[in-house]
């Protein structure tokens, strides 16, 4: 999927998140928001996104697109390949915006971030209404992959096209087949929010206690399996049917207060605000955002390693990012941002992560010569016998680094690599590594010569890399 | 907190989880359950727990306690320091069990795993009812830290004692001040479950789509912040009060169906069962449990690295586990289980994790000589200049390993360590590492001699370690 131009109408927390996700995936973005503060607010969201989204991947994202601010809706949508509306949740306002979009760009896919309205409500009175759909994201839009797509009788070709676009910027479209108020996820959020308000109002729990009750227990289950598969397990060997039979009757018990809505009196609003202040212990919203984004990066990376849930979405997107150009001499084997979970208490990249980067660099060489995961599945592999790492300069989370690799020796079962880890911004060498690998048979666990094409490819690299001084890398170098 | 003896009454998924958590934290456990299958089921839960709980920590848990099966409630509770009841959710059955406990052990803290009943309901008619409280855990009990503690007018000294015991086995007691049906967390689960049943019944979404809607979006937020702090951020610079004002009115909109309870007709039960079967793609409950546990270990370890939410509970527990006895010669600097997120596509421990273990071993030496985090905060540190690792044998997730460390050189600013990574079960050497460190001033970023006591402590170690052959480790060794 190639990149394009996106128009973002409405530049609040959600619109800013959309802008950031498109930009960091290489799209150009034009924003329209009449708020004079919009530019500052969007810049803050994009700054957060730059320090977190690239950390999800072990490869580089495309070069960032260009961000522009338009003076009108018409100017923003002019030439756009995709339009996303995220203005406040007032039906009249949304319809007014759609009318302006219609006269300037009647054919472009138009998604609405609405958390509650149905597409058939939104498109009422529009000639171009069939290309309008709900594309409901979750905050922070640049990190959470879910987007609910609701067509509600709109153009199915447009919805498919939108689905491809959203997938190409790392999201996971969940197509909601029937339109209902609040789609799917927000119905759950609404139900929990009501119950939580009762607990606060009745002094059963504080806001902080409610959050603990969620994040130390079922929140962890829901981050990786959701509701039904969790309960399937809880049913034990009897499975889902057993669980429903066991748990079902409790539904009729008077456990929840949800039949009734607590009145949001000034007293209740103040109580919630005060408890929330106490819970956050003086941390600003900006600090909480950073904390949230660090946590989400850590959780998403953890799930990615396991290939589960949201982590699988990240991994799929990464697979489409494309690797480095391995045909260059010397080879660039790794190019990536140092993620926040790689730092130690000194605040710089933990020494073991240097080892990881060099291990990834070796994997890139092996994949390039045809000795990647498929080769391993077929019963052959290179095992690392020894590594010698020299640590030269410190590096920190958020920096982009790359590894320049040379094949020093490639003879029979022996493979020797030399890597340089460099800071991408100025080319300074952060660490060097000499790595000795042996080719083994995974059945006999003994060393042996590699398959013919692999051996030949390694030999060709060793010959090519031997020809040139290691320093001629095309990168500036601090010596 | 020292360990003791726990009685577990009821050996299903929850009782088994309790047994596992106590056992793996060094407690002896006696189980009573009349089900002839109970022993097999509990063994399976404990097997899962052994392969996951120790992975949360970078240190060893205490030696596992002894598991016994009693022929009666009276035999199970005899001599117990703590009793946990996890029989099915029938008030009559629970009261019958309490009467048997009362005659055998009237003074011991007695927790009930009930997910719905109030303690005042449970203790009705008991003489020893004041020592009964709700201790409601979350499945899997051996991994999720949350336990809701509800006294409901019971003995406050007993509740405090129970709270200390549960904390000592790595849980986080959330004391619920007022007793209500379903305590706190299950009210949310109940609300979401009802809404989910409507969505399935009305064909808005399948069980798989509901799970995606949760785990790709707000599930990730709830695993680390919960509800209110997430919304505080969503309020943007206006904070919580702004959010409530903005979001509040939607409460009155007819978004949810919760005023009404869907009837669990055989058709609806079958629909849920069929969709759940399709979603799980033929994976057995055992396979799903493994998947869940791997995911939870990964999420909990991610949060632990960030020091957030459930991760902080794990870190606090680890701090109380106590380190290795560093006074031994040679030093055991690391002893831990290889966690599942440390393996590569070959299925064995990734080469970078060898580096991490050796880095942790160096940190243990530095802490021992007085150059730990406090010393770093004061502006001095040792930086690793180079490491040379030889990889000898493969190791896998779930194995317990230890590092034997010798100080080869400790003169002025120079420190040289030699580590051996060994499999704990048979002492085989998996890898060796020579590590060269330099003492630096964090202000000048230049090398300098360490503070006097640190330098002296290192010199003493180097002298002591020079005296003995490295091979005399007290461990059996494969040569």
């Amino acid at each position: 999927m190639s990149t394009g131009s996106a128009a973002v109408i409405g530049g609040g927390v959600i619109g800013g998140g959309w802008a950031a996700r498109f930009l960091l995936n290489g799209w150009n973005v034009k924003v329209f928001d009449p708020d004079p503060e919009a530019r500052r607010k969007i810049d803050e969201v994009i700054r957060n996104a730059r320090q977190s989204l690239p950390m999800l991947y072990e490869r580089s994202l495309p070069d960032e697109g260009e961000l522009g601010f338009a003076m009108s809706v018409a100017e923003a949508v002019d030439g756009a390949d995709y339009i996303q509306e995220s203005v406040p949740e007032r039906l009249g306002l949304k319809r007014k915006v759609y009318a302006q979009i219609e006269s300037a760009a009647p054919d472009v896919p138009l998604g609405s971030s609405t958390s509650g309205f149905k597409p058939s409500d939104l498109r009422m009175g529009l000639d171009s209404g069939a290309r309008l759909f709900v594309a409901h994201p979750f905050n922070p839009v640049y990190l959470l992959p879910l987007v609910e797509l609701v067509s509600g009788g709109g153009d199915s070709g447009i919805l498919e096209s939108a689905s491809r676009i959203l997938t190409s910027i790392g999201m996971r479209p969940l197509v909601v087949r029937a339109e209902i108020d609040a789609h799917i996820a927000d119905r759950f959020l609404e139900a929990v929010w009501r119950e939580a308000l009762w607990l606060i109002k009745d002094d059963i729990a504080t806001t902080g206690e409610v959050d603990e009750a969620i994040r130390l227990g079922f929140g962890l289950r829901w981050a990786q399996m959701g509701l039904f598969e969790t309960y399937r397990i809880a049913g034990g060997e009897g499975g889902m049917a057993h669980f429903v039979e066991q748990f079902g009757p409790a539904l009729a018990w008077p456990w929840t207060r949800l039949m009734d809505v607590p009145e949001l009196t000034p007293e209740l609003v103040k109580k919630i605000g005060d408890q929330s202040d106490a819970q956050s212990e003086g941390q600003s919203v900006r600090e909480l955002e950073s904390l949230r984004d660090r946590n989400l990066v850590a959780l998403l990376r953890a799930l990615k390693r396991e290939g589960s849930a949201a982590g699988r979405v990240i991994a799929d997107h990464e697979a489409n990012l494309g690797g480095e150009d391995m045909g260059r001499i010397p080879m660039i084997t790794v190019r990536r941002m140092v993620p926040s979970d790689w730092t130690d208490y000194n605040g710089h990249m933990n020494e073991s992560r240097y080892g990881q980067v060099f291990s990834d660099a070796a994997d890139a060489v092996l994949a390039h010569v045809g000795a990647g995961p498929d080769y391993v599945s077929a019963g052959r592999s290179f095992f690392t016998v020894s590594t010698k790492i020299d640590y030269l300069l410190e590096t920190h989370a958020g920096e982009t680094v790359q590894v320049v690799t040379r094949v020093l020796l490639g003879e029979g079962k022996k493979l020797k690599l030399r890597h340089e880890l460099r800071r991408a911004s100025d080319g300074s060498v952060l660490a060097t590594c000499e790595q000795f690998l042996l080719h083994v048979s995974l059945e006999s666990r003994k060393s042996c010569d590699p398959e013919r094409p692999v051996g030949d490819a390694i030999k060709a690299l060793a010959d090519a890399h031997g020809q040139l001084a290691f320093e001629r890398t095309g990168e500036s170098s601090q010596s």
Side-chain angles (χ1 to χ4, degrees), chain A residues 264-443:
Chain A
L264 279 170
T265 59
E267 290 72 30
L268 180 52
V269 172
K270 182 172 185 313
K271 190 188 222 179
I272 295 170
D274 289 349
Q275 290 184 358
S276 176
D277 289 349
Q279 178 186 354
S280 297
E281 296 173 338
Q283 292 176 96
S284 71
V285 166
R286 294 284 160 252
E287 288 167 319
L288 290 172
E289 278 174 348
S290 289
L291 178 65
R292 175 200 63 190
D293 287 359
R294 278 186 66 108
N295 283 342
L296 287 174
V297 166
L299 293 179
L300 288 165
R301 288 177 58 78
L303 290 170
K304 182 182 164 203
R305 278 192 305 270
E306 301 301 327
S308 265
R312 188 174 296 187
V313 182
I314 311 290
D316 288 346
H317 188 42
E318 180 173 282
N320 287 325
L321 288 176
E324 297 307 314
D325 174 12
M326 304 282 291
R328 288 177 53 183
I329 293 179
M331 299 170 106
I332 307 284
T333 41
V334 168
R335 187 180 165 84
R336 61 168 304 147
M337 183 184 273
V338 175
S340 43
D341 57 335
W342 280 19
T343 56
D344 62 17
Y345 61 73
N346 280 326
H348 46 79
M349 189 164 103
N350 187 283
E351 76 183 68
S352 73
R353 300 307 183 161
Y354 291 80
Q356 178 156 351
V357 169
F358 293 129
S359 163
D360 292 345
D363 284 346
V365 172
L366 294 177
H368 179 63
V369 298
D374 288 347
Y375 189 75
V376 173
S377 304
R380 297 279 187 276
S381 187
F382 282 90
F383 279 10
T384 304
V385 175
S386 71
T387 51
K388 165 77 161 59
I389 299 177
D390 289 295
Y391 305 88
L392 306 178
L393 291 175
E394 300 162 31
T395 185
H396 301 88
E399 288 188 324
T400 299
V401 294
Q402 58 190 33
V403 176
V404 179
T405 298
R406 189 164 56 147
V407 178
L408 293 186
L409 174 78
E411 282 177 10
K413 57 192 178 186
K414 293 181 187 172
L415 174 60
K416 196 166 181 182
L417 305 175
R418 182 184 156 86
H419 310 285
E420 284 189 3
L421 177 69
R422 295 169 178 241
R423 189 179 288 134
S425 60
D426 63 4
S428 9
V429 179
L430 304 165
T432 62
C433 176
E434 283 204 5
Q435 201 170 27
F436 182 55
L437 301 97
L438 266 186
H439 187 269
V440 293
S441 154
L442 293 175
E443 290 99 60

Side-chain angles (χ1 to χ4, degrees), chain A residues 163-237:
Chain A
S163 183
R164 278 194 301 275
I165 288 171
L166 298 174
T167 301
S168 79
I169 59 169
M171 303 185 92
R172 165 72 162 81
L174 179 66
V175 176
V176 185
R177 288 181 305 272
E179 60 169 12
I180 55 170
D181 292 318
H183 331 312
I184 296 175
D186 273 5
R187 293 175 78 104
F188 300 133
L189 293 175
E190 181 80 7
V192 168
W193 175 246
R194 284 187 202 206
E195 190 66 29
L197 289 183
W198 280 117
L199 292 173
I200 305 300
K201 180 175 184 301
D202 293 349
D203 290 319
I204 306 296
T206 63
T207 61
E209 287 164 351
V210 165
D211 282 357
E212 287 288 82
I214 292 174
R215 68 189 192 156
L216 302 186
F218 66 84
L220 288 159
R221 299 196 303 220
W222 286 7
Q224 42 96 29
M225 278 202 168
L227 182 71
F228 282 100
E229 201 153 65
T230 295
Y231 285 157
R232 183 183 178 88
I233 296 176
E237 291 160 16

